[in-house]
């Protein structure tokens, strides 16, 4: 007899579902498109159908030896942790203030735990990825926007009402670029894929010489193109990534000073540009945080060897961190309740 959980990564474009056992072994996985335009009812019906199929597959394969302990769902948006209501989600229009947890529990007859997707990704990385030897860590996800999550002693830190970890809106430029949240100069405006393209265009508009002038006119001009130019030595592209690194260094330096966590992990699509932005990042963290300077690891790659250093590194699970983290939620809950 063994327990497993089903993790769901419900994004604005992709819906991925996986069965994972308590050791983090992937048992079954399925990927669908999230057809947001067909409405909430359609997406929830698809999600429940695919979840039932996975549970059935597990039942057939293990002949009743496998017990489903619950379903964890990571969603982009603010969640009321107590009720499981989705308070607000820009990527899932029409889902605001909806009892997603109650609805899915009613349809499947299995307990559901809802979580913000960036928090779920942080938990997944802490469980099986870059943080697997560290009980506490901070994760910063650099994608179209910037998200974050804190895992303290193996559990997500929710703050007093469930909304902690909005690191994307920490300030790095007091009078900087306006942000959707209403503030100016949030890190999201300097370290997201969207920001990289904007900063490149701003510098090009000032007339600086760059191979990007031609590329920027193409419809497929994106942050990856800017990265490739930076790696080829284009000065404008290089400067853009230097700014990304400086701003991230400023944010992480502040976090090191405030939290003294052993590990800061950078994930999301933009983190693959690590080579381009990390030198400026490390330089800036050292300048901003005497605590980091005092605990800089001798070898940045050997997380296992040094126990009293502060590590800043890349995520290891790629796009799957959120899926594993979502599955981890009911497994953790089960471990906690069985201890009582
Ligand atoms: Zn903001």
């Amino acid at each position: 007899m063994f327990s497993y959980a089903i993790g769901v990564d419900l994004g604005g474009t992709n819906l991925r579902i996986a069965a994972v056992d308590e050791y983090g072994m992937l048992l079954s996985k399925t990927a669908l498109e999230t057809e947001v335009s067909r409405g909430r009812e359609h997406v929830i019906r698809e999600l429940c159908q695919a979840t039932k199929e996975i549970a059935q597959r597990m039942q057939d394969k293990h002949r009743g030896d496998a017990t489903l302990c619950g379903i964890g769902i990571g969603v982009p948006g603010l969640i009321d942790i107590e009720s499981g209501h989705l308070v607000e989600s820009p990527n899932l229009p029409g889902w605001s203030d909806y009892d997603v947890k109650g609805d899915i529990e009613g349809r499947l007859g299995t307990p559901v735990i809802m979580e913000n997707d960036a928090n779920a990704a942080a938990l997944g990385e802490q469980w099986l990825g870059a943080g697997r030897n560290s009980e506490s860590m901070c994760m910063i996800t650099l994608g179209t926007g910037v998200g974050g999550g804190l895992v303290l002693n193996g559990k997500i830190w929710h703050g007093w009402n469930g909304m902690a970890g909005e690191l994307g809106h920490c300030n790095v430029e007091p009078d900087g670029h306006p942000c959707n949240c209403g503030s100016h100069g949030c890190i999201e405006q300097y370290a997201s894929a969207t920001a990289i393209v904007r900063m490149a265009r701003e510098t090009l508009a000032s007339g600086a010489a760059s191979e990007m002038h031609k590329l920027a006119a193409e419809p497929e001009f994106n942050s990856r193109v800017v990265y490739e130019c930076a790696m080829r030595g284009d000065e404008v592209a290089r400067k853009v990534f230097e700014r990304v690194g400086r701003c991230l260094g400023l944010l992480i330096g502040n976090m090191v000073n405030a939290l003294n966590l052993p590990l800061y992990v950078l994930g999301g699509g933009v983190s693959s540009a690590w080579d381009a932005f990390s030198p400026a990042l490390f330089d800036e963290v050292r300048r901003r945080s005497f605590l980091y300077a005092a605990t800089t690891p001798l070898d940045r790659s050997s997380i296992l060897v040094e126990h009293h250093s502060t590590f800043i590194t890349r995520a290891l699970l790629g796009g799957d961190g959120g899926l594993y983290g979502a599955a981890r939620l009911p497994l953790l809950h089960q471990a906690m309740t069985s201890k009582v």
Side-chain angles (χ1 to χ4, degrees):
M1 198 75 169
F2 72 98
S3 269
Y4 74 98
I6 291 183
V8 180
D9 185 8
L10 172 56
T13 44
N14 296 307
L15 171 60
R16 298 178 317 134
I17 306 174
V20 179
D21 75 9
E22 56 198 306
Y23 304 104
M25 185 76 80
L26 180 69
L27 306 169
S28 185
K29 187 176 169 182
T30 188
L32 303 161
E33 231 175 89
T34 314
E35 295 177 278
V36 175
S37 59
R38 296 184 66 178
R40 185 179 72 205
E41 171 59 27
H42 174 81
V43 174
I44 291 182
R45 210 181 315 125
E46 292 257 299
L47 186 158
C48 289
Q49 184 56 36
T51 305
K52 271 188 203 160
E53 283 168 16
I54 285 201
Q56 188 58 49
R57 226 177 289 157
M58 293 295 296
Q59 207 62 15
D60 295 345
K61 198 168 160 194
H62 301 281
R63 298 173 200 284
D65 272 349
T67 312
L68 174 59
C69 74
I71 300 166
I73 306 180
V75 287
L78 291 178
I79 292 155
D80 183 309
I81 291 296
E82 295 239 321
S83 66
H85 281 229
L86 192 53
V87 179
E88 201 189 311
S89 176
N91 298 341
L92 297 170
W95 292 58
S96 298
D97 286 320
Y98 187 68
D99 182 11
V100 182
K101 172 184 155 77
D103 185 345
I104 296 176
E105 279 180 341
R107 293 182 203 217
L108 296 176
T110 309
V112 168
I113 302 177
M114 301 291 295
E115 187 52 84
N116 168 271
D117 59 350
N119 282 348
L123 187 64
E125 272 301 322
Q126 187 273 327
W127 185 27
L128 302 165
R132 66 191 178 284
N133 294 300
S134 183
E135 284 283 283
S136 302
M137 58 167 254
C138 165
M139 174 141 173
I140 304 169
T141 308
L142 312 173
T144 318
V146 174
L150 292 168
V151 179
L152 303 181
N153 300 319
K155 287 195 287 185
I156 293 168
W157 170 252
H158 286 118
W160 72 272
N161 67 356
M163 296 172 189
E166 285 299 330
L167 303 180
H169 301 286
C170 288
N171 200 287
V172 291
E173 289 277 2
D175 300 310
H177 196 78
C179 183
N180 301 332
C181 73
S183 181
H184 285 76
C186 300
I187 184 77
E188 184 161 288
Q189 301 305 323
Y190 298 92
S192 62
T194 323
I196 289 166
V197 171
R198 189 203 76 239
M199 291 190 292
R201 288 195 191 282
E202 279 170 3
T203 321
L204 291 173
S206 72
S210 165
E211 66 163 304
M212 287 195 295
H213 279 289
K214 216 169 139 206
L215 295 164
E218 307 283 331
E220 58 269 21
F221 183 66
N222 60 21
S223 58
R224 172 145 280 278
V225 175
V226 183
Y227 168 69
E228 284 160 3
C229 292
M231 295 319 279
R232 281 199 294 269
D234 184 276
E235 198 52 24
V236 172
R238 229 183 42 73
K239 281 265 157 49
V240 167
F241 278 97
E242 193 185 314
R243 186 139 195 224
V244 171
R246 293 248 164 248
C247 289
L248 282 170
L250 189 53
L251 171 72
I252 295 173
N254 281 329
M255 296 198 63
V256 171
N257 287 340
L259 300 171
N260 185 214
L261 290 172
L263 178 64
Y264 301 79
V265 179
L266 295 173
V270 172
S271 68
S272 56
W274 177 262
D275 296 346
F277 68 73
S278 66
L281 182 157
F282 283 111
D283 186 54
E284 193 68 21
V285 179
R286 212 172 290 110
R287 272 173 11 101
R288 301 288 177 174
S289 171
F290 70 102
L291 213 154
Y292 179 77
T295 56
T296 306
L298 296 172
D299 176 358
R300 281 193 205 128
S301 60
S302 63
I303 295 182
L304 296 176
V305 183
E306 294 176 62
H307 295 294
H308 302 288
S309 302
T310 305
F311 284 93
I312 302 166
T313 189
R314 290 173 67 172
L316 295 178
L317 300 180
D320 283 342
L323 198 53
Y324 282 107
R328 175 74 162 157
L329 296 163
L331 290 166
L332 271 180
H333 183 75
Q334 177 184 254
M336 253 169 53
T337 46
S338 65
K339 247 191 253 169
V340 178

